[in-house]
Amino acid sequence: MSKKNRVTDEEALSYHLEPTPGKLEINASTPMATQRDLSLAYSPGVAVPVEAIAENPELAYDYTTKGNMVAVISNGTAILGLGNLGALASKPVMEGKSVLFKRFADVNSIDLELDTEDPDEFINAVRLMGPSFGGINLEDIKAPECFIIEQRLREEMDIPVFHDDQHGTAVICAAGLLNALHLTGKKIEDCKIVLNGAGAAGIACIELIKAMGAKHDNCIVCDTKGVIFQGRTEGMNQWKSAHAANTKERTLEEAMTGADVFLGVSAKGAVTQDMVKSMADNPVIFAMANPDPEITPEDAHEVRPDAIVATGRSDYPNQVNNVLCFPYLFRGALDIRARTINDAMKIACAEALAKLAREDVPDEVAVAYGQKLTFGRDYIIPTPFDPRLIYTIPPAVAQAGIETGVSRKAIVDFDAYTVALRSRMDPTASMLEGLHNRARTKNARMIFAEGDDIRVLRAAVSYQRSGLGQALVVGREDDVKEKLTAAGLADAYRELTIVNARNTEHLETYRSFLYSRLQRKGYDAQDVHRLASRDRHVFSALMLAHGHGDGLITGATRKSAHVLELLNHVLDVSPKDGAVGVTALLRNGRIVLIADTLVHEWPDENTLADIAERGAATARSLGLEPRVAFVSFSTFGYPVSERAEKMHIAPKVLDSRGVDFEYDGEMTVDVAMNPDVLAQYPFCRLSGPANVLVVPARHSSSISVKLMQEMGGATVIGPILSGVDHPVQICSTTSSTNDILNMAVMAACNVG
C-alpha cells in the first residue's frame, strides 16, 4: 500500500463499525406504507406472480430481483493475500465486493459465506441456490479447488458463474496488453510471453491471452519450481499441464531472455533488473503481485527506459484493477439474461476497455485526477472512475453474448440501452472521488483550527494518511496527544504538526497585521493580542493569511455566524466582500446545490443574482454544468406576492449581465426539479432539472437543508464558502469526522 494513503487498524475497524455494523443494507423498492401495499407485496397479491412464474420461469426476471441480483460467494480459503482464514473471516471482503457491484454498475448483490472446504459440498450448496440469482461471483477460493468448483458450476447452472480472482485479472491484463502491443507495433501471435505464477489468476491470464491469438509454445509459464515444460512431473496438475511448453528453458531467468511480455501474479522481487535487461526491445512488464510488485516501475525503467510497465497498485500508472471488469461484465450479462459468461464476452470486455483508453479522456476525468491523461506508455488502461465505463463496457459484453447464443433476451436498440446505462451512474460518488484525487494533486497544508475536538483530530489524521496533504492542527500538544491516545490513535501524534501561539515564531507578525486591520474598528493593542494569541479561529486565519498553511477548516465547535465574524477580523469573508454559502445535498445519485445558506440574511434581487453566479461557479468547480433556478412558493408570477417579487426580478438582473449558464425563475421546487412538472412550462429556459437552487432567504435555506438531512436522509456537504480570496471552509457543529474531511478536501481543491 502506498505510504501516502495509509489505513490504520483503528480506522479500518471504525469504518466497518459505524454508523451501523457492516457495509450494506436492504431497502424496499416498492411502497410499503399502507395495508393495501402489504397486501400486494405479500398475501394475497403475491400469489399472482407466483402462478405466473410457475407457468413461465422466465417471468422471474420480470417480477423479482433475480435479473439484477448477483451472489458473491466464498469459503474463505484464499482471502486476499492473507490465506485460509475461514468463511466467517471472509465476510467483510464479500460485503465489500457486493458494495462495488452496486457502486460501479448498479447491480444488486448479496454476500454468502459457505463454511466448507469440500468442493462437492460447496458446489451443491451454490447449485441449489441458483434460482435466487441472475449470476454467481466466486471469490477468494484457493487453487486448485477454484478451478473444479467453477467448472462444475458452469456445467450445472444456467446462469453466469464467474471466479473474479481468475477472470477479472485476466480481462484487465488482456486489455492492457492489447494497448501495450499497439504502442510497440507488435502482434500477439508473434510475441514471446512469460507468465510467473501458475495459480488461479495466472492460469486464467494465459488462457485468455491464448484465446486472443497468442501461440501455445510462445507462452512460457513458470511456478515456484521453474518453467512448466512438456515432460515435467514435479508439482504438476491438469491445469498446469495444459500449458506445458515445448522448450529447453528451465528457469524464469532463462525464460525472460528475449521475452516480449512478462506477466507476474507471483511475489515481490521475483524479477531482477538483469532479467529485465535481457528482454526484447520495448518490453511489456505487468508486475501484478500485491501489495508489492515483482519489480517496481522505477527499477524496471532504470535499466530499460523503453519498457511499458503496469502493476496492481493505484500509486503507479497503469493499474490492473479488477473493478474495471466484474461490475460491467455482469451488468452486460444480466441485461441479456445470459446463461453463462464465455470467452467471447471476456474478450469483448477487454477490447472495449482497450479502445476506451485510446479515446480522448473527458475533462471531468482529467480534473478529477489532476492531470491530463493521454493514451501512451503511462496510460494503457482506463482509470476506475472514468464515467464512460458504465455505458461503454456492458454493451460490448451484451453484444458478444447475443452473437454467441448465450442470451435469453436480445437488446434491439443499443442506442437506447446506452442511454439507460448512463442513467445508472451515481454522480455523487464520482464527484467525491474526483475531489479527493484533485486534493492529492494539490497536496495542500490544511489548517485544522479546533484541535481540542476528537472529530477534528480524526479528520486531520485521515487527511494526512489519505495522502491529501499535511495536516496542521491548532491546539495544545499535551491535549492533542491525550485525545488521540484515548481514541486509539496514539501513533498519529508524531505524524501531525501541532501549532499554537506558544510555539510559533510568527506571533508578533500576526499581531501587527491584525492591529492594522482592527485599530479603527474599536480594538486596542491588548484586544488584538488576546485575539491573536488566544482565539484559535483568529490564530488559524492569521496562519492562512500569511501563507503558513494553504487552507483552513473551522466551525466544528462554534456556531457558523460567530466563526464567520471572527474570521472577518483577518480575512474578507463578509457579504459586502462577495462571500456566499453554498450547501451540496447528495441523495439517491442526485446532487443539488442550495445558496445562500450562510452569509446573506435577506438578499435583494441584485444580491440574489450574485448568489446565482457564485452557485454556478461552485457547481462547475464540482464538475457539474449549472442549471440555476430561483425558487419560491410561486411559479412564473402566480400567486402574486410582494415577497416573491425579488425572485421574479432576479433572473432579469442576470439577463443584463449576460452570464454563460442556464437560469430561470421564479418557480416552486417541484417545477425546478421534477422533469414531468417542468414539462408543463415549455417556455422555461432550463433544459433539465435544476442543480443549483437560489432561495429567498437564509432561514428558508436552513429549513430546507435540515429537513432534507433529517427526513430525506441526504448527505450534506457545506455550506461551502464561495467567492472569497482564501480557501477557508466552515463546518457545522453537528459535522461528523467524514463531513469535516470532506470540507478539508473542498478547501484543498479551492472549491467555490
Side-chain angles (χ1 to χ4, degrees), residues 482-735:
E482 181 181 340
K483 285 183 167 61
L484 287 172
T485 301
L489 291 167
D491 59 329
Y493 174 74
R494 293 186 299 275
E495 302 171 27
L496 301 176
T497 302
I498 316 299
V499 186
N500 58 40
R502 288 188 304 175
N503 65 17
T504 182
E505 60 187 48
H506 305 295
L507 186 58
E508 186 55 45
T509 302
Y510 293 169
R511 281 200 301 247
S512 176
F513 174 85
L514 191 59
Y515 188 61
S516 69
R517 283 181 62 92
L518 300 181
Q519 59 191 354
R520 294 182 180 273
K521 296 181 180 180
Y523 290 83
D524 60 25
Q526 191 172 4
D527 296 329
V528 167
H529 174 75
R530 278 196 297 267
L531 281 171
S533 62
R534 298 181 188 177
D535 190 286
R536 56 198 168 185
H537 307 286
V538 174
F539 179 82
S540 300
L542 286 164
M543 287 179 64
L544 182 64
H546 286 80
H548 299 145
D550 303 313
L552 169 61
I553 296 300
T554 186
T557 62
R558 303 287 290 273
K559 295 294 184 183
S560 58
H562 181 65
V563 172
L564 203 59
E565 182 181 341
L566 291 169
L567 293 179
N568 264 308
H569 291 328
V570 183
L571 310 170
D572 297 324
V573 291
S574 69
K576 65 181 177 62
D577 299 312
V580 171
V582 182
T583 296
L585 297 178
L586 287 64
R587 172 69 175 156
N588 289 340
R590 298 184 67 177
I591 305 170
V592 178
L593 307 184
I594 299 181
D596 174 13
T597 55
L598 180 64
V599 181
H600 297 89
E601 184 68 34
W602 181 253
D604 62 17
E605 55 269 21
N606 291 298
T607 303
L608 286 168
D610 295 338
I611 291 170
E613 291 194 66
R614 293 313 318 159
T618 301
R620 282 181 170 150
S621 66
L622 293 174
L624 305 173
E625 187 55 38
R627 291 187 296 273
V628 178
F630 293 87
V631 292
S632 178
F633 62 88
S634 59
T635 298
F636 300 120
Y638 183 83
V640 177
S641 169
E642 180 182 345
R643 299 186 71 81
E645 184 177 3
K646 64 178 183 178
M647 308 307 290
H648 186 80
I649 299 173
K652 298 177 182 178
V653 176
L654 286 183
D655 289 343
S656 67
R657 297 183 183 180
V659 297
D660 63 346
F661 56 85
E662 293 182 22
Y663 60 90
D664 210 342
E666 88 282 15
M667 63 182 75
T668 55
V669 170
D670 58 336
V671 174
M673 299 188 65
N674 188 322
D676 294 332
V677 181
L678 180 62
Q680 299 174 24
Y681 301 89
F683 55 85
C684 181
R685 291 183 287 189
L686 298 182
S687 62
N691 52 21
V692 180
L693 305 181
V694 178
V695 294
R698 199 170 78 196
H699 64 265
S700 56
S701 69
S702 176
I703 293 168
S704 301
V705 169
K706 292 187 183 301
L707 186 62
M708 278 297 299
Q709 187 174 26
E710 295 303 319
M711 292 293 291
T715 297
V716 176
I717 299 178
I720 302 164
L721 193 57
S722 175
V724 298
D725 292 334
H726 292 85
V728 53
Q729 296 298 344
I730 301 174
C731 304
S732 71
T733 55
T734 58
S735 292

Side-chain angles (χ1 to χ4, degrees), residues 26-32 65 108:
I26 295 175
N27 292 308
S29 59
T30 54
M32 293 284 174
T65 60
N108 294 326

Side-chain angles (χ1 to χ4, degrees), residues 23-41:
K23 297 190 288 288
L24 68 163
E25 63 183 9
I26 295 175
N27 292 308
S29 59
T30 54
M32 293 284 174
T34 67
Q35 179 60 48
R36 181 170 179 79
D37 292 337
L38 297 179
S39 296
L40 288 168

Side-chain angles (χ1 to χ4, degrees), residues 158-239:
D158 65 347
I159 57 175
V161 177
F162 185 83
H163 186 207
D164 184 51
D165 298 318
Q166 295 181 60
H167 308 296
T169 302
V171 169
I172 310 306
C173 177
L177 182 59
L178 286 173
N179 277 340
L181 296 181
H182 177 87
L183 288 168
T184 58
K186 297 180 181 181
K187 296 181 179 179
I188 194 168
E189 60 268 24
D190 298 330
C191 289
K192 179 182 180 182
I193 300 170
V194 177
L195 166 71
N196 194 47
I203 294 295
C205 285
I206 207 67
E207 285 181 346
L208 187 60
I209 287 167
K210 287 180 178 179
M212 295 171 67
K215 293 181 179 177
H216 177 83
D217 283 329
N218 285 351
C219 297
I220 309 300
V221 179
C222 301
D223 61 10
T224 56
K225 300 184 185 302
V227 171
I228 296 173
F229 57 90
Q230 289 183 7
R232 189 181 117 173
T233 57
E234 185 182 9
M236 296 295 285
N237 57 41
Q238 67 187 78
W239 298 278

Side-chain angles (χ1 to χ4, degrees), residues 451-452 473-483 493 498-500 502-503:
D452 61 337
V473 174
V474 176
R476 293 183 292 108
E477 292 90 337
D478 55 348
D479 184 52
V480 170
K481 186 174 185 178
E482 181 181 340
K483 285 183 167 61
Y493 174 74
I498 316 299
V499 186
N500 58 40
R502 288 188 304 175
N503 65 17

Side-chain angles (χ1 to χ4, degrees), residues 38-59:
L38 297 179
S39 296
L40 288 168
Y42 196 54
S43 181
V46 75
V48 180
V50 166
E51 292 173 337
I53 293 169
E55 184 175 340
N56 180 4
E58 290 300 307
L59 291 177

Side-chain angles (χ1 to χ4, degrees), residues 259-314:
D260 298 285
V261 177
F262 169 78
L263 306 177
V265 278
S266 51
K268 173 184 178 181
V271 173
T272 66
Q273 288 185 320
D274 286 339
M275 292 181 190
V276 173
K277 282 182 186 178
S278 73
M279 295 181 72
D281 291 342
N282 292 304
V284 177
I285 300 169
F286 280 26
M288 298 177 285
N290 261 324
D292 298 301
E294 285 81 1
I295 186 169
T296 65
E298 298 97 327
D299 287 345
H301 284 133
E302 184 179 348
V303 295
R304 292 300 298 271
D306 60 337
I308 297 176
V309 185
T311 71
R313 288 174 49 153
S314 61

